[in-house]
Amino acid sequence: MFFFEQHCSNKLFQNHPFVWHIWDSCKDGFSCLVNYHKLDYKTLDNLTHAYLEGWIKKQAGDAKTGKTGADLRLAAAQGLQAKLKLILTGEPPYDIFVRWKPLHEQSVGWYPDLNDGVRMNIRPFVEAGILRKNPNIKWTKDRGKEPERDKKDFPWFWTVRRSLAIASMTFI
């Protein structure tokens, strides 16, 4: 655990860790370290349906025999598996949303683009609450001035701008 905490807050990586510690929030439960650069759909699917499924089956067997804590570990692992499945399918808020990409380039499901950076791709895992420690990422930080975008390809810009314009109007 110390490695991951240090890795998350390391200034060398500018608070953008490339090794992620996924866990089910149970001290003696399921956990694994994954390399962000290797974490594609197939790897996450394998983690979710092979490794974690094996752990779930073991905990179910232990729960049937009355082993202490197995029922809690089983529930925690099943909760983790459910969240990983949501990330795999890209269900909001566990989807990858990159505001500067047009609608037709947005990935549906866990198909991260490494060029988008850790800050964009780690968000589904932070939202799901399945990282051992959340990195110190400033989610509100953004760089540059936004150019005008085509309404068809970037509908979220127009929705936000319109509501901000309406909210800033003063009525007499």
Side-chain angles (χ1 to χ4, degrees):
M1 182 170 85
F2 176 71
F3 163 78
F4 187 65
E5 286 182 7
Q6 185 180 26
H7 184 63
C8 277
S9 61
N10 194 329
K11 297 292 183 194
L12 177 66
F13 305 117
Q14 299 160 352
N15 298 315
H16 296 94
F18 63 88
V19 175
W20 300 349
H21 190 175
I22 297 172
W23 77 319
D24 64 8
S25 74
C26 226
K27 187 177 179 182
D28 55 348
F30 182 87
S31 69
C32 64
L33 294 173
V34 295
N35 181 339
Y36 156 66
H37 296 104
K38 304 284 185 190
L39 190 60
D40 57 6
Y41 185 92
K42 183 179 177 187
T43 305
L44 187 58
D45 186 62
N46 194 27
L47 170 67
T48 305
H49 295 104
Y51 291 102
L52 185 52
E53 187 66 34
W55 175 261
I56 288 171
K57 287 179 182 176
K58 181 182 181 325
Q59 298 313 309
D62 288 350
K64 283 181 184 176
T65 62
K67 189 169 182 181
T68 307
D71 53 341
L72 297 175
R73 289 189 300 274
L74 175 61
Q78 288 171 331
L80 173 61
Q81 188 178 48
K83 289 177 181 178
L84 288 173
K85 286 178 180 179
L86 292 172
I87 292 171
L88 278 167
T89 59
E91 294 295 321
Y94 311 115
D95 58 334
I96 301 172
F97 174 73
V98 183
R99 69 171 186 78
W100 58 81
K101 284 189 172 181
L103 202 52
H104 67 276
E105 289 182 22
Q106 295 288 338
S107 66
V108 177
W110 181 251
Y111 295 99
D113 181 350
L114 294 180
N115 292 324
D116 294 334
V118 172
R119 185 170 162 248
M120 292 290 108
N121 293 317
I122 201 170
R123 190 186 62 80
F125 294 85
V126 172
E127 288 288 330
I130 59 175
L131 294 176
R132 184 78 181 223
K133 179 180 182 347
N134 286 334
N136 186 21
I137 294 175
K138 293 186 181 13
W139 300 103
T140 57
K141 182 180 178 182
D142 213 346
R143 296 189 184 101
K145 190 173 181 179
E146 191 57 53
E148 287 298 318
R149 305 284 184 150
D150 183 25
K151 190 173 184 175
K152 178 180 63 115
D153 288 332
F154 298 90
W156 49 91
F157 284 122
W158 294 93
T159 307
V160 172
R161 285 186 183 162
R162 181 180 157 95
S163 29
L164 287 175
I166 291 170
S168 66
M169 289 180 167
T170 55
F171 297 97
I172 299 175

